[in-house]
Structures are given as structure tokens and as C-alpha cells.
Amino acid sequence: MTTPKEFFACVAHYDPNALPVEAAQEIVRQWAMPRGRDDQAERVGLHDALGRVLAEDVISPIDVPAFDNSAMDGYAFAGVALAGGGATLDLSVAGTALAGRPFASAPGADQCVRIMTGALIPPGCDTVVPQELVTREGDAIRFSTANLRAGQNRRLSGEDLAKGKPALLAGRIVRASDLGLLASLGIGEVAVRKRLTVAFFSTGDELRSLGEPLSPGSLYDSNRYTLFAMLARLNVETIDLGIVRDDRASLENALRDATGRADVVISSGGVSVGDADFTRELMNSLGDVAFWKIAMRPGRPLAFGRLWSGERAGAGKSALFFGLPGNPVAVMATFYFIVREALLAMSGATRQPLTAIRASAAEPIKKRAGRTEFQRGIATRDGDGRFRVVTTGPQGSGVLSSMSEANCFIVLEHERGDIDAGDEVEIVPFDGLI
Ligand code: AMP
Ligand code: MG
């Protein structure tokens, strides 16, 4: 683990008032190490493995497929018969091989076996002629030898996965196809990493919980719901610590409680310049926390570091800490572009870069050079199959409806200025985010 000294040395390298997004991501990456391994694995059945991180490589205990089988419905025969040089081949049908019902004996030299897809290739046979290339009369078949080679239309045993070879690697997040693949190997249980525990809370005297009446100047706390959902999609355990009032004692209690119980602590609100001074002082007394102004929009203020549950930094149990801005869209942007990767790394997952694709701007977009902007976009495919994107309109960082309306982030790079209609931009689709 990086020591506090090293941490501050690497932060000091940048201007904390305009930290480029890539620099923030790099620092977070250095700090978000996977938790220890041995005590962090548990064995689960396949249904519970979905979305979890594999703790060990899965080695294939068998060949898949386990036997040579037919890739087509047709007739199996010995491919040497093709070497005779005739333009057509005549064979008689000796029997039938169905999936799960093999034809056990070897057919004679001028014989073949009617075979269905997936059926075991009968002894002595190595080639399948597809049924649509064959004319059949009674038990006799005839087909052209042109375009047919010995060994064709046969799936070899071990072709999909060979026995003893790794089928899935440690660090993989188990997906739908993986469950099927594990089942195809006869594996009903796998070792997965324990889930990461993430505690989160909202800060602000103006916030109200659902069910409470709104008084003038107050608003409902939405960040805890957004955070809950984004964390749930990453398959981490969540601890919702509610709303924390803007006073020193409440915040200290919440931070200590969270640090004692979780691997990662996420708060929203209370880290902008205008916020009470005690926040910084307190966070620093509980750990090593840097207060960044990231050159990004939305999401400029962000606190990041390590908190300790003991009497001073370095004592007791520690947790990684993200103090996100309060604005609802900024919470989502900083979560996806700063926090997400750290949570995945700590979960033991291999890197899962976000899917980024190129699109053309369907209209001009205002953009200020010197910061990365994550505008909310609506991408559609035009007749040529290319993506065109428009913004959702007003890009205020409090306009959460812009996220619900959008289907992608438009990521406008640090150096870029205004975008003209027709310019290429990068979009990160919302669908497919893990
Ligand atoms: P702050 O970073 O605490 O100054 O908050 C910035 C803005 O985000 C303010 O307008 C807050 O009212 C708003 N805000 C902060 N936390 C939340 C929350 N949990 N839900 C909705 N809005 C919030
Ligand atoms: Mg606040």
C-alpha cells in the first residue's frame, strides 16, 4: 500500500486546483489495490456466481466437446473415399446416429451413417456430407465430391476447451455465457472473491428523507438512491448510513462508523469551497485526504484519500474514501469516471474499461478548453449505421432528469474547445455498464 507520504508526493505533482481527470484516475488507480486474497474467497453455486469476481482460474476438467461430433445433419463416412477421384460418390446407408444415440460399429468402405448435428461420429468415419448436398434413393445416397474435403463438418473433441487448460481466469466478472460455460464443464461451484463493502451517506442540512415533508429551502435526498443503484450494479455490499447533518460531531460519527464497517466510504456533498471548514480539518484528522478541484464538468470538487477508524491516521482499520460533490449529476459522473474503476480493482476484477465509441455531433456543442466535460447525450444510428449524438439540452449539474433522458455520456476531452456539427466525439453508452 502507498504510504501517506508517497500519496501526497504524487498529488503534489499536480495543480490541485485543476487536476486533469486522467491524473485523478491514475492516482486513484495507484491507491485502489485489491484486498488480500486468501481470506477473501468463498465458494458459491452457479446462480450466485453471476456478476461475481472469480478468485481462481477455472481449469477445464474435461474436453469440450468430449467427443468428435457432427456439425451438420447429413451422412458420416470415411474421408479416404474422396481420394478415389470420381466426380460423384455412391454410398449405402448402414444406420443412423442421433445426438445421444451413437451408431456403435464402423460402416464398411462403401457405406455411410445417417447422422444428426451433435451426434458422435461413428468409428472409422471422419467426414460429414450435409444432407442438402445429397440425393437419396432408398438406402443409397449420391453426392458430388467437388468442394468436399476429408474431415469436413466434424467438430473435434476439445475444440472448444481442452482438458487441463484454463477456461476462465481469476479476476473475471462472471457473465451469462460464463455460467453456461461452467455448466458445460460439469462445474457447479466456483471460488469467488468476497464482495467489497461500501458505506455511503449524504451530507446537507437542506436534505430530507423520503416520507418527510419538505419545508422551504429543503429538498429530497436523491444521491443515496443513485449511489445505491450504481453500487448494486457493481455487485458490492452496501451500507446506507442515511443523511448526515452539516456539523462536526455528526460527520465525525458517520465517518468513523463507516470506516469501521466498510472497505470504501463514499459521501456526497460538503466538499466544495463554500462548505464548512470543519469538513477538511476533520477529514484530515481522520486520515490522509486530498481535496481536489478536478478539471472536469460536472464533478469539480472531490475529496479522496484513506480514513482510519483509530485515534489518528494509521491506527485501527482503514477504508478508502471518496467525498463526492453534492450535485446529483456530478455524483454520477464522478462515480463512473473516478470511483468505478477503484471499486472494481479492489474487488479483484481485471480492468474493465468503459466502452467508448465514436459518434458525430449532430449539432454544435459548447465546450470550454481546459477541462473534460461529460455531457449527457442522446445517440441514434443513422441509415449508414453511424452514431449521431445530440446533447439533452441544459447541462446543469443538478439536472438529474438529463441523465434519465440521455442514453450516453458525450466525453469531450480536456484540450477541446467548441464542437462543430459533424465533428467526431467520443460517447460512452449507458447500456452495458456493469
Ligand atoms: P454541496 O456540494 O454540499 O455544496 O451540494 C451542492 C448542491 O447539491 C446543493 O444544491 C445541494 O442541495 C445539492 N445536493 C447535495 N446533496 C444532495 C443529495 N443527497 N440529493 C440531492 N441534492 C443534493
Ligand atoms: Mg452541502
Side-chain angles (χ1 to χ4, degrees):
M1 192 200 299
T2 323
T3 65
K5 265 213 187 84
E6 284 163 341
F7 172 60
F8 283 110
C10 87
V11 176
H13 191 68
Y14 300 99
D15 174 4
N17 287 317
L19 191 66
V21 172
E22 292 75 23
Q25 287 168 333
E26 186 51 42
I27 295 168
V28 169
R29 201 169 288 144
Q30 285 175 29
W31 267 56
M33 290 297 154
R35 294 163 307 163
R37 235 181 148 165
D38 304 342
D39 56 331
Q40 297 294 347
E42 55 189 349
R43 296 195 72 79
V44 296
L46 290 195
H47 290 145
D48 294 323
L50 186 64
R52 301 290 296 272
V53 178
L54 288 181
E56 298 166 0
D57 293 353
V58 175
I59 306 297
S60 180
I62 54 170
D63 281 329
V64 178
F67 50 89
D68 293 358
N69 68 88
S70 179
M72 307 283 263
D73 289 346
Y75 296 86
F77 63 102
V80 288
L82 294 168
T88 59
L89 196 60
D90 291 281
L91 299 171
S92 68
V93 181
T96 304
L98 302 174
R101 285 167 61 189
F103 181 82
S105 54
D110 55 355
Q111 289 186 317
C112 64
V113 174
R114 172 85 174 118
I115 194 163
M116 297 301 161
T117 306
L120 181 102
I121 302 271
C125 299
D126 60 5
T127 308
V128 174
V129 54
Q131 61 188 17
E132 51 279 13
L133 301 184
V134 165
T135 48
R136 177 167 177 168
E137 260 173 52
D139 275 348
I141 63 163
R142 168 173 292 185
F143 55 91
S144 161
T145 56
N147 303 323
L148 197 61
R149 279 173 289 107
Q152 256 181 332
N153 304 315
R154 169 184 56 162
R155 297 192 287 228
L156 291 173
S157 94
E159 180 178 285
D160 190 356
L161 287 168
K163 181 175 173 175
K165 291 269 157 51
L168 295 171
L169 298 179
R172 181 175 180 88
I173 297 176
V174 177
R175 302 181 177 188
S177 56
D178 302 334
L179 287 197
L181 188 137
L182 290 164
S184 77
L185 299 177
I187 295 175
E189 256 191 6
V190 281
V192 294
R193 295 285 197 119
K194 286 237 169 75
R195 282 198 180 92
L196 200 68
T197 306
V198 181
F200 60 98
F201 58 87
S202 297
T203 68
D205 286 337
E206 76 282 23
L207 301 178
R208 296 291 175 271
S209 289
L210 297 184
E212 289 177 1
L214 283 184
S215 50
S218 65
L219 59 136
Y220 286 119
D221 171 10
S222 58
N223 288 344
R224 271 191 301 135
Y225 291 88
T226 316
L227 275 171
F228 161 78
M230 295 189 295
L231 290 166
R233 294 289 296 272
L234 286 185
N235 223 332
V236 301
E237 299 274 352
T238 53
I239 304 176
D240 183 342
L241 295 176
I243 297 172
V244 174
R245 297 297 158 208
D246 284 322
D247 68 73
R248 193 188 158 102
S250 308
L251 187 59
E252 177 164 358
N253 278 341
L255 287 171
R256 277 195 196 281
D257 182 24
T259 305
R261 292 165 66 186
D263 302 302
V264 179
V265 178
I266 300 178
S267 68
S268 73
V271 291
S272 13
V273 176
D275 288 303
D277 292 341
F278 68 80
T279 315
R280 286 159 192 255
E281 188 216 319
L282 174 66
M283 287 176 178
N284 269 321
S285 76
L286 296 177
D288 311 301
V289 178
F291 290 83
W292 290 335
K293 290 197 190 77
I294 303 184
M296 72 184 274
R297 184 188 160 94
R300 199 162 126 78
L302 191 124
F304 172 69
R306 184 168 289 285
L307 299 176
W308 299 85
S309 62
E311 285 312 304
R312 58 189 161 73
K317 185 190 158 305
S318 85
L320 207 64
F321 171 64
F322 293 91
L324 306 186
N327 275 310
V329 184
V331 166
M332 296 196 79
T334 49
F335 184 89
Y336 281 120
F337 292 94
I338 310 269
V339 181
R340 173 186 172 274
E341 190 180 321
L343 298 185
L344 288 170
M346 291 180 75
S347 301
T350 46
R351 270 184 87 176
Q352 320 273 323
L354 294 174
T355 306
I357 50 183
R358 307 299 298 176
S360 101
E363 58 189 23
I365 304 175
K366 280 240 158 292
K367 156 75 170 66
R368 176 151 21 111
R371 67 187 186 197
T372 308
E373 294 190 12
F374 300 92
Q375 300 208 10
R376 275 70 71 207
I378 300 170
T380 48
R381 290 181 90 174
D382 63 18
D384 302 343
R386 283 181 315 216
F387 283 98
R388 291 156 48 86
V389 67
V390 294
T391 70
T392 54
Q395 295 290 311
S397 57
V399 187
L400 194 52
S401 61
S402 71
M403 284 295 295
S404 289
E405 216 183 303
N407 63 8
C408 63
F409 281 113
I410 309 172
V411 182
L412 302 172
E413 299 86 347
H414 191 90
E415 299 307 335
R416 259 178 124 165
D418 288 339
I419 312 295
D420 292 327
D423 283 357
E424 272 219 333
V425 293
E426 187 178 277
I427 60 172
V428 172
F430 288 172
D431 276 347
L433 285 188
I434 292 173

